[in-house]
Amino acid sequence: MSLGIQTYQGAVNPSHQQANFYRLPAASDENHYRLFQFGAGENHVQLLVSPAKRVTIYFGYRGDHSMIQLLLLTDALRRSGAEQIDLLLPYMPGARQDRVCNVGEALSVKVYASLINQQQYASVSVFDPHSDVTAALLDRVQVIDNYSFVAAIAAQLTGELVLVSPDAGANKKVFGLAKALKGMPVIRADKHRDVVNGHIIATEVFCDDLSGKTCLIVDDICAGGRTFIELAIKLKQKGAQSVILIVSHYEDKANELALRDAGIDRLFCTDSLGTPTHISSEFCDCHAVLSYMNY
């Protein structure tokens, strides 16, 4: 069964070169290693070039099978001579499930963090994780904020810009972002959810008049987009001239028509979860996350 990963047939571990950067999923021109899957479902990795003493793995999470690929690649690198391995983690799996809300649930982020910690990476760089829980659970972690990402987008826009914090949980991060953006004004919002089924019951925006404002909704992740749809409707009702959605991680599941109908004019994201395919490039501007990861 193919995993859709580029393979390379060639000499194993040529002595005249060493590799110090590995990307998962493999780039189309990857020639440092190959991955395949046995008939029973097990993943397998084979290095094709000897690793350097210190290497970096860029790990783009693409489902739980990709976690196994990361562990196998890490093991293969160590067995082949890599002494220090740095991990670039643009998206932390399980980060949204950082507390147990209902009886019988797992604390997902702790499970994923434990798997990563067991590998004893020299450093783990995480881009805009959902909450502080991720940083508390990972060893030798460097959290990379979304400041430069949002600043790059804001520089492209005109008009009177205001940041919108989509809920109480985002306030700390958005106020920190506002300070980094030289005091850009912040509009607070909040949503009320049913903790059993996760449905949004109501959305509030704590501002009376947004006439002429370009509202930048900033959050870490967009899944189905319901939070932002409800919020955009409220912002437009209060007179917002334009609504821009900026998310660090986009799951490629939101309905573009529903986002547009709610009043969202543009979507900006990174490719931390892959390049969007179910939404038009005219509406969505996807940035390469690696350029914001201090690498």
Side-chain angles (χ1 to χ4, degrees):
M1 175 180 167
S2 172
L3 294 176
I5 296 172
Q6 181 77 19
T7 63
Y8 173 80
Q9 301 293 336
V12 177
N13 295 336
S15 59
H16 63 279
Q17 60 177 311
Q18 289 185 323
N20 61 9
F21 187 83
Y22 294 79
R23 182 186 290 267
L24 264 173
S28 59
D29 61 348
E30 179 63 64
N31 60 4
H32 299 159
Y33 70 94
R34 67 187 182 104
L35 285 161
F36 59 89
Q37 194 174 67
F38 292 108
E42 304 101 321
N43 287 283
H44 184 73
V45 64
Q46 179 186 15
L47 300 185
L48 303 172
V49 176
S50 297
K53 294 297 182 182
R54 183 160 191 167
V55 303
T56 298
I57 299 176
Y58 171 95
F59 173 50
Y61 176 78
R62 300 293 185 268
D64 285 350
H65 72 276
S66 67
M67 282 293 298
I68 296 299
Q69 293 172 352
L70 172 64
L71 304 183
L72 292 172
L73 178 57
T74 301
D75 184 73
L77 288 168
R78 286 220 168 90
R79 291 178 183 278
S80 299
E83 296 176 359
Q84 294 188 73
I85 303 176
D86 297 292
L87 180 65
L88 301 180
L89 193 59
Y91 173 77
M92 174 63 186
R96 282 172 291 175
Q97 215 276 296
D98 58 3
R99 57 180 175 160
V100 175
C101 296
N102 301 295
V103 175
E105 291 181 338
L107 185 56
S108 301
V109 67
K110 188 174 190 303
V111 175
Y112 288 104
S114 295
L115 288 172
I116 293 169
N117 288 340
Q118 287 168 15
Q119 309 314 305
Q120 298 185 331
Y121 295 111
S123 66
V124 179
S125 299
V126 185
F127 181 68
D128 195 16
H130 182 66
S131 71
D132 293 338
V133 176
T134 290
L137 290 174
L138 287 173
D139 297 336
R140 294 172 292 281
V141 67
Q142 176 193 13
V143 172
I144 301 171
D145 57 51
N146 62 349
Y147 296 176
S148 59
F149 170 52
V150 177
I153 296 164
Q156 303 175 34
L157 304 174
T158 57
E160 189 176 351
L161 307 182
V162 296
L163 293 171
V164 179
S165 175
D167 54 39
N171 285 342
K172 178 180 177 182
K173 292 171 72 172
V174 173
F175 278 104
L177 171 63
K179 183 177 180 180
L181 295 177
K182 300 180 180 179
M184 185 179 293
V186 175
I187 304 300
R188 293 187 303 108
D190 205 357
K191 60 188 176 187
H192 303 283
R193 286 187 183 273
D194 184 324
V195 296
V196 175
N197 57 33
H199 294 165
I200 297 174
I201 300 170
T203 298
E204 296 180 79
V205 175
F206 303 105
C207 179
D208 294 328
D209 184 15
L210 291 169
S211 298
K213 304 286 198 302
T214 295
C215 295
L216 311 184
I217 304 174
V218 181
D219 210 354
D220 60 297
I221 189 164
C222 176
R226 177 55 54 186
T227 294
F228 310 117
I229 288 170
E230 299 293 338
L231 180 53
I233 291 172
K234 293 286 187 178
L235 293 171
K236 282 297 179 78
Q237 288 174 350
K238 291 177 180 287
Q241 178 176 309
S242 180
V243 176
I244 308 297
L245 176 58
I246 305 173
V247 291
S248 299
H249 314 290
Y250 179 64
E251 284 190 353
D252 203 18
K253 292 181 179 179
N255 184 305
E256 179 177 344
L257 181 59
L259 294 173
R260 286 177 178 269
D261 286 347
I264 295 175
D265 299 286
R266 291 291 303 278
L267 164 65
F268 292 86
C269 66
T270 77
D271 61 355
S272 65
L273 288 169
T275 303
T277 58
H278 295 95
I279 201 162
S280 69
S281 58
E282 176 264 330
F283 177 66
C284 176
D285 188 345
C286 183
H287 291 221
V289 69
L290 185 59
S291 63
Y292 299 106
M293 294 196 69
N294 304 336
Y295 182 81

